[in-house]
């Protein structure tokens, strides 16, 4: 999973980025990554979970001790929970699942039938 390693390496090696950015992904890590990175987030973005609804300039609160990740603001401004919920509801209505780029073969079968790791990570 070199793509995750290189991304976290780029963030953690830059003093400004390392203190202002965290990588939050539903991707998987190999174990060599370092720095401010949270992986295996689910429900996964591909299914339209909350991570799919995050936009540039949203404020995300990461609480490591309580194992929570929450959007607490939009457009660089903190909001109430009610305001955030309302905005995410609007974004969810606009959200569209991306079309798969695989049109045949094993990867097409996998993308159409793989079940989230949160549900056991099997092929239906």
């Amino acid at each position: 999973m070199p793509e995750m390693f290189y991304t976290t390496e780029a963030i953690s090696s830059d003093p400004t980025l390392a203190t202002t950015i965290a990588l939050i992904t539903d991707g998987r890590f190999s174990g060599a990554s370092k720095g401010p990175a949270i992986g295996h987030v689910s429900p996964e973005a591909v299914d339209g979970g909350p991570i799919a609804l995050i936009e540039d300039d949203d404020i995300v609160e990461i609480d490591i001790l309580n194992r929570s990740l929450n959007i607490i603001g939009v457009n660089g401004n903190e909001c109430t929970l009610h305001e955030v919920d309302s905005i995410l509801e609007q974004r969810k209505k606009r959200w569209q699942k991306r079309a798969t780029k695989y049109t045949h073969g094993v990867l097409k079968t996998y993308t159409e039938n793989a079940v989230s790791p949160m549900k056991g990570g099997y092929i239906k």
Side-chain angles (χ1 to χ4, degrees):
M1 295 171 223
E3 66 281 357
M4 292 299 191
F5 171 75
Y6 294 133
T7 305
T8 57
E9 185 66 25
I11 293 169
S12 65
S13 65
D14 182 291
T16 302
L17 293 179
T19 59
T20 60
I21 292 178
L23 173 67
I24 302 167
T25 179
D26 54 10
R28 309 309 183 229
F29 295 102
S30 64
S33 298
K34 66 180 182 178
I38 301 169
H40 304 257
V41 176
S42 201
E44 298 182 20
V46 72
D47 291 331
I51 195 172
L53 305 177
I54 295 173
E55 295 182 358
D56 288 346
D57 295 323
D58 283 350
I59 301 172
V60 178
E61 174 186 66
I62 301 168
D63 185 338
I64 295 170
L65 294 177
N66 291 310
R67 299 176 59 86
S68 68
L69 185 147
N70 299 295
I71 300 170
I72 61 167
V74 295
N75 297 321
N77 300 306
E78 287 194 37
C79 300
T80 66
L81 180 60
H82 176 72
E83 291 170 322
V84 170
D85 287 344
S86 176
I87 290 166
L88 293 180
E89 189 175 307
Q90 292 170 14
R91 289 179 184 178
K92 180 75 173 179
K93 289 177 185 175
R94 294 190 320 254
W95 183 83
Q96 293 181 1
K97 187 171 186 166
R98 290 184 183 179
T100 180
K101 62 182 177 180
Y102 305 108
T103 58
H104 63 281
V106 174
L107 291 177
K108 178 181 189 278
T109 301
Y110 175 80
T111 57
E112 289 177 346
N113 297 294
V115 175
S116 169
M118 291 299 290
K119 296 179 182 176
Y122 59 91
I123 301 293
K124 56 182 168 175

